[in-house]
Amino acid sequence: MAATLLSKSERAYIQSSLKATPPLRADGRGLLDFRTVLLETGVAPLANGSARLNIGKMAREGGGGTEIVAAAKLEVEDVESGDGVDGGRVACSVTCSPAAYPHLSSNALDELQHDLSVILQQTIGHPSLHPRNLTIIPRKKSWLLNLDAVVLADAGNVVDALFMAARAALWDAKVPRTRAVQYRAPEALKSAKNDVPGAMDVDEGTSGFDTRDMARTAADFELPDYWDEGETLDGREKWPVCVTLNLLPPRHFLDATPAEEASVPQRLHLMFSFVPSAPPTLQAMRLLGSEELDLKDLKESIAFGEQYAKELFTALETKLREEDNRRNIKARDRFALMR
Amino acid sequence: MAQSNFDRRRINGPEESFQPTFEDDDDETRWKPGNPRRGRGARDIRPIFLTAGLINQANGSAYIETEKTKIACAVYGPRQSKSTTYNEKGRLNVEVKFSPFSCTRRRVPIRDAEDRSVAVQIQQALVPAVRLELLPKSTIDIFITIIENDGIEGCIAAGSVAASAALADAGIEMLGLVASCSAAVVGKEIWLDPTEEEGKASSGTLILAGMPALGTITSVWQSGSMTPADGIKCMEACQERYTDIHAVIAQSLLENAQNNT
């Protein structure tokens, strides 16, 4: 994404080593190998769900790699008078830390931020993935799910990292349980009519100014249990994973470093959703770059992309369940031991 | 002071405004899933009206109209690049502006976030086709004004077509004319060129841009849920259709050239 400054000879060198037999990459990986991915959930205690992801951290050199922190936060919105939509809505945004892109001007950084936000919003905010438990009181109050991601460092393959971190944060997110509350006015005292001289003539019918009727339907909600974390966000199996194929016909490779990204003229982003009971669906596809492509090559790339995405999805699933285990079950056991 | 965005340069309307609702939105005549498409076949696109040479001041221009979508495009260039760093290849700069009256809800006159995403997609469709290596140190500016918008996918497709005609009108060298078509998956069918209503009812949309003369694809933008097989079917349908659109662009450029001589 960010333009690394590469000379023409460096570019040609990287391209020819990728096209050689066997293909060579600077860090010795195979064409389809990903760098080490480190994932941790629950990093932001104030958010409803959060995750921190790092691709390509070099343990010996103490740092590096693409680092993303994603957090899901729920806000209450008013459907009638505010921006709320009945059924809730999802808003995604990506912020690029200037520390990650020191060579970009603030305008260029804004544009990069905007482009990444659009990709995330159009895929995750699409109605087909909309979670169903975002309503609080039908037609009155709903949840706004804010998914914010921050790019702290960029060492290539930001889009894949963003989607993985977003998926992890959404997996981790818990929606607080709410209970609708309704007001009921006390029973009006029945007055003995016409018996007492000077008694007031009470109008029996409902007056237009009677606001007690309006308040009788559920108008507010409360949180039943303070310590209750809530239920998980609906549809967590549907969130997509992204795999970016860097195309250098006739080859393609995954997980590019910044130099490799700048040397390859074309990239294909594929976002797949793997629901266990249904066939895999393509949630988004973007072709970026200054070269053209044949439909036949595109079809092949989609087929390959599906395979790679499936492997990535399985690995991510395993890790997320492990994280769930670590934070909830083990913590509970440790707490029980301490009592 | 009013808390809303008080724009001093314009006469501000009321802070909150709502679109009027009409009584003739009859439930019976409204489209329901499972019904066939209204008004045209599933694979029919809306008729295109395209002329080049609309704006005399620009190097090249075009105006496209497809039923309710109306877009004007102007190309200025190649002109000298403002940046001092040497660029070996020329730059293609696309700017899109939605008129405030183009959508059902009024859009602010200030540049919006959605403007940029449309501009990025149109740029992606055009960049592989324009021979930028022949224009070092230059910039080509493409300004697209959307006068009426009926479906964002249709807008992007029509915008790419208009921009390609305008570039040809400006005499900028290209590898081929770029044509673009959008598709939507509605239920089990694939409908081409969806309007805004049809786009909302669909489960996924796809916009394909390419050069029919060379048989290659320059940009694919798909969002929404569809199986990869459906996605490929959409792309094949779009590719068939944009060959026809290419003929329309060529015809209108020919007429314009004949009218000028």
Side-chain angles (χ1 to χ4, degrees):
Chain A
M1 288 269 171
T4 327
L5 300 170
L6 275 192
S7 69
K8 284 217 288 213
S9 21
E10 273 187 276
R11 206 167 291 165
Y13 183 76
I14 294 178
Q15 282 191 3
S16 50
S17 34
L18 287 167
K19 286 191 189 165
T21 2
L24 302 163
R25 289 173 84 168
D27 45 10
R29 285 184 280 153
L31 288 185
L32 307 176
D33 289 338
F34 253 75
R35 291 169 285 181
T36 325
V37 179
L38 302 169
L39 172 67
E40 196 186 333
T41 53
V43 292
L46 291 174
N48 296 88
S50 57
R52 182 197 195 110
L53 189 109
N54 188 308
I55 299 184
K57 184 171 185 149
M58 291 169 287
R60 263 168 290 140
E61 291 174 43
T66 304
E67 179 136 354
I68 314 260
V69 175
K73 184 100 180 100
L74 291 160
E75 270 173 37
V76 181
E77 267 192 328
D78 210 334
V79 176
E80 287 165 351
S81 54
D83 283 330
V85 171
D86 198 20
R89 64 189 177 104
V90 179
C92 306
S93 82
V94 176
T95 321
C96 292
S97 150
Y101 300 98
H103 54 279
L104 283 186
S105 70
S106 84
N107 276 342
L109 197 67
D110 267 342
E111 294 187 342
L112 178 62
Q113 216 165 266
H114 174 79
D115 289 339
L116 293 172
S117 305
V118 159
I119 252 189
L120 204 62
Q121 172 67 39
Q122 285 186 349
T123 313
I124 292 190
H126 195 268
S128 59
L129 293 173
H130 192 92
R132 278 168 302 193
N133 55 350
L134 290 182
T135 313
I136 304 175
I137 300 171
R139 289 183 301 279
K140 287 223 176 66
K141 293 215 187 284
S142 63
W143 289 115
L144 163 64
L145 173 61
N146 277 312
L147 178 67
D148 301 299
V150 179
V151 178
L152 294 170
D154 182 3
N157 209 13
V158 175
V159 183
D160 285 5
L162 273 174
F163 274 90
M164 275 199 271
R167 183 162 208 278
L170 290 167
W171 178 275
D172 189 42
K174 300 255 185 331
V175 181
R177 265 189 267 267
T178 59
R179 190 166 57 200
V181 171
Q182 100 185 25
Y183 300 109
R184 186 174 280 139
E187 288 292 316
L189 295 168
K190 298 236 177 345
S191 57
K193 274 198 299 262
N194 303 326
D195 288 6
V196 178
M200 287 211 301
D201 210 336
V202 179
D203 193 353
E204 292 280 310
T206 48
S207 132
F209 295 107
D210 189 352
T211 54
R212 287 170 297 168
D213 258 344
M214 277 194 270
R216 226 162 261 147
T217 52
D220 208 349
F221 67 96
E222 62 171 20
L223 299 170
D225 188 347
Y226 186 71
W227 294 110
D228 185 11
E229 276 193 338
E231 50 188 23
T232 54
L233 198 56
D234 176 58
R236 63 212 288 237
E237 318 77 43
K238 287 197 275 184
W239 302 117
V241 281
C242 171
V243 76
T244 305
L245 271 82
N246 302 280
L247 303 168
L248 188 65
R251 306 247 169 101
H252 57 263
F253 61 97
L254 302 176
D255 197 18
T257 57
E260 290 170 343
E261 271 181 356
S263 321
V264 171
Q266 222 172 21
R267 259 195 315 274
L268 179 63
H269 294 301
L270 293 164
M271 287 64 151
F272 283 96
S273 164
F274 296 97
V275 181
S277 51
T281 53
L282 184 61
Q283 290 295 133
M285 171 164 55
R286 301 265 185 283
L287 182 65
L288 298 172
S290 55
E291 292 286 321
E292 29 184 34
L293 190 63
D294 254 339
L295 185 60
K296 192 172 61 64
D297 294 332
L298 189 57
K299 285 194 218 178
E300 275 178 22
S301 306
I302 296 179
F304 279 124
E306 193 180 326
Q307 278 178 19
Y308 306 145
K310 184 79 182 128
E311 290 172 19
L312 190 64
F313 176 80
T314 324
L316 189 61
E317 265 308 271
T318 323
K319 179 64 183 172
L320 286 173
R321 287 189 198 277
E322 230 182 78
E323 278 288 296
D324 240 351
N325 195 18
R326 171 185 73 89
R327 285 174 58 211
N328 300 334
I329 303 174
K330 288 188 184 163
R332 227 177 284 154
D333 292 342
R334 239 183 301 138
F335 191 64
L337 274 177
M338 283 200 292
R339 273 160 150 213
Chain B
M1 247 321 159
Q3 279 174 334
S4 62
N5 301 332
F6 196 63
D7 189 349
R8 288 180 188 282
R9 294 166 294 171
R10 294 176 177 83
I11 300 171
N12 287 287
E15 278 177 28
E16 269 191 332
S17 69
F18 302 94
Q19 197 202 347
T21 49
F22 297 99
E23 260 200 51
D24 56 21
D25 274 346
D26 211 318
D27 262 339
E28 286 168 9
T29 54
R30 189 173 288 161
W31 182 86
K32 285 186 194 53
N35 289 3
R37 197 176 196 183
R38 298 213 291 182
R40 26 179 184 136
R43 300 290 168 103
D44 287 340
I45 53 171
R46 291 171 280 183
I48 298 176
F49 169 76
L50 175 66
T51 40
L54 172 79
I55 304 166
N56 292 336
Q57 190 188 3
N59 290 98
S61 59
Y63 173 72
I64 188 169
E65 217 179 273
T66 52
E67 271 184 24
K68 285 201 195 149
T69 301
K70 300 172 176 70
I71 299 177
C73 173
V75 167
Y76 289 85
R79 7 189 220 194
Q80 187 180 9
S81 229
K82 286 200 203 85
S83 69
T84 48
T85 54
Y86 172 70
N87 291 322
E88 191 185 25
K89 288 177 75 166
R91 279 186 54 230
L92 191 72
N93 182 33
V94 178
E95 277 187 34
V96 169
K97 192 84 201 61
F98 279 84
S99 327
F101 43 81
S102 56
C103 307
T104 40
R105 292 207 77 171
R106 179 183 179 269
R107 298 182 77 110
V108 280
I110 310 165
R111 239 185 119 199
D112 198 49
E114 191 166 8
D115 294 352
R116 187 179 150 77
S117 71
V118 174
V120 161
Q121 290 191 47
I122 295 182
Q123 185 184 27
Q124 176 57 41
L126 298 170
V127 153
V130 181
R131 296 200 67 187
L132 293 169
E133 64 271 10
L134 298 178
L135 306 165
K137 302 188 282 184
S138 315
T139 313
I140 301 175
D141 288 315
I142 303 182
F143 298 105
I144 296 181
T145 311
I146 298 179
I147 300 169
E148 196 180 337
N149 168 26
D150 187 18
I152 195 79
E153 301 86 21
C155 251
I156 295 169
S160 316
V161 167
S164 159
L167 283 169
D169 188 40
I172 293 170
E173 279 203 43
M174 298 195 279
L175 292 171
L177 284 175
V178 174
S180 171
C181 189
S182 56
V185 173
V186 181
K188 291 205 175 51
E189 296 182 339
I190 294 174
W191 289 1
L192 288 181
D193 202 11
T195 60
E196 185 153 0
E197 251 189 73
E198 293 170 348
K200 285 207 192 108
S202 72
S203 60
T205 55
L206 184 139
I207 307 169
L208 188 76
M211 289 186 275
L214 300 174
T216 53
I217 295 175
T218 56
S219 162
V220 185
W221 194 276
Q222 184 263 336
S223 51
S225 175
M226 56 171 86
T227 56
D230 269 343
I232 292 176
K233 268 192 252 169
C234 280
M235 288 197 281
E236 288 172 340
C238 283
Q239 209 176 21
E240 268 181 48
R241 194 55 72 217
Y242 71 35
T243 321
D244 303 330
I245 300 180
H246 182 262
V248 172
I249 309 178
Q251 181 66 25
S252 60
L253 287 170
L254 188 63
E255 279 172 10
N256 187 45
Q258 283 172 342
N259 287 344
N260 284 349
T261 49

